[in-house]
Amino acid sequence: MSLWFDVARVTAGLNVLLLAVLLSIWGRNYLDLRSKHALGLMVFAVLLLLENLVALYIYLVDPTLSVWFSSAVPDIAWQGMMSLHVLETIGVGFLVWITMD
């Protein structure tokens, strides 16, 4: 198992937590305001949340893919996938910050 794999898993888990925070805030806003903007933000959060949950399932639970990802994927591929997860974490973290500010 590589460091890149560990970073990808941790950032995917962090993304799930951050998106759950955003989804709760945006869901509450939608219930109060009934605006299409709040609904769009909720759909955005749900889709990204599903993406990260699927990634975590593949990395941690799936009996075939979790073994393959932990042992057979080369480091260069993990560096690319880890970069995507880290960039997503930065973007979602920024959204959490401006939403809660």
Side-chain angles (χ1 to χ4, degrees):
M1 224 179 294
S2 71
L3 173 66
W4 310 115
F5 184 47
D6 293 335
V7 172
R9 289 187 304 177
V10 168
T11 53
L14 187 58
N15 287 341
V16 168
L17 295 175
L18 292 172
L19 288 164
V21 169
L22 285 176
L23 189 58
S24 70
I25 294 169
W26 292 339
R28 191 175 47 229
N29 288 345
Y30 177 72
L31 291 176
D32 290 343
L33 305 171
R34 300 285 180 191
S35 74
K36 286 184 180 177
H37 182 75
L39 179 62
L41 291 172
M42 280 180 49
V43 170
F44 171 77
V46 167
L47 292 174
L48 282 181
L49 183 64
L50 290 174
E51 176 210 353
N52 283 283
L53 288 172
V54 169
L56 282 177
Y57 172 79
I58 289 170
Y59 296 159
L60 301 173
V61 178
D62 187 88
T64 304
L65 291 176
S66 64
V67 172
W68 183 73
F69 272 107
S70 67
S71 61
V73 175
D75 277 350
I76 188 71
W78 272 119
Q79 290 171 4
M81 294 172 70
M82 184 261 330
S83 299
L84 295 174
H85 285 297
V86 169
L87 289 172
E88 185 177 335
T89 301
I90 293 169
V92 172
F94 186 76
L95 278 176
V96 168
W97 178 68
I98 62 172
T99 300
M100 297 183 80
D101 188 34

